[in-house]
């Protein structure tokens, strides 16, 4: 039991080594947010999307062909 306690204490006091998320987590998050904003900014401003979903007044019937 003493050996397990010593091992637990040693592991608790060892220096924490930064992993990928510690090193790059904020940069990846900010990069993703910038990419998201850029793409949706382009989609909403440059593509000619008609935002009204109602077809009333836009669709005219064609002549009937027999």
């Amino acid at each position: 039991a003493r050996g397990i306690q010593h091992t637990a204490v040693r592991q608790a006091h060892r220096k924490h080594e930064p992993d990928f998320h510690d090193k790059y987590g904020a940069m990846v998050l900010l990069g993703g947010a910038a990419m998201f904003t850029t793409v949706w900014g382009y989609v909403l401003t440059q593509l000619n999307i008609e935002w009204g979903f109602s077809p009333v007044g836009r669709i005219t019937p064609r002549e009937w062909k027999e």
Side-chain angles (χ1 to χ4, degrees):
R2 263 249 198 251
I4 294 172
Q5 286 178 341
H6 284 293
T7 303
V9 168
R10 253 186 285 133
Q11 288 179 351
H13 288 295
R14 74 176 183 172
K15 185 178 179 182
H16 175 69
E17 299 166 1
D19 61 359
F20 178 84
H21 297 287
D22 293 332
K23 289 181 182 177
Y24 307 110
M27 291 306 295
V28 170
L29 180 67
L30 291 174
M35 190 69 170
F36 177 86
T37 303
T38 302
V39 169
W40 277 107
Y42 174 80
V43 167
L44 294 174
T45 59
Q46 299 300 315
L47 298 180
N48 292 326
I49 299 174
E50 296 199 14
W51 292 103
F53 297 116
S54 173
V56 175
R58 286 195 206 142
I59 299 174
T60 56
R62 296 185 192 168
E63 292 291 325
W64 182 259
K65 294 181 182 179
E66 289 191 29

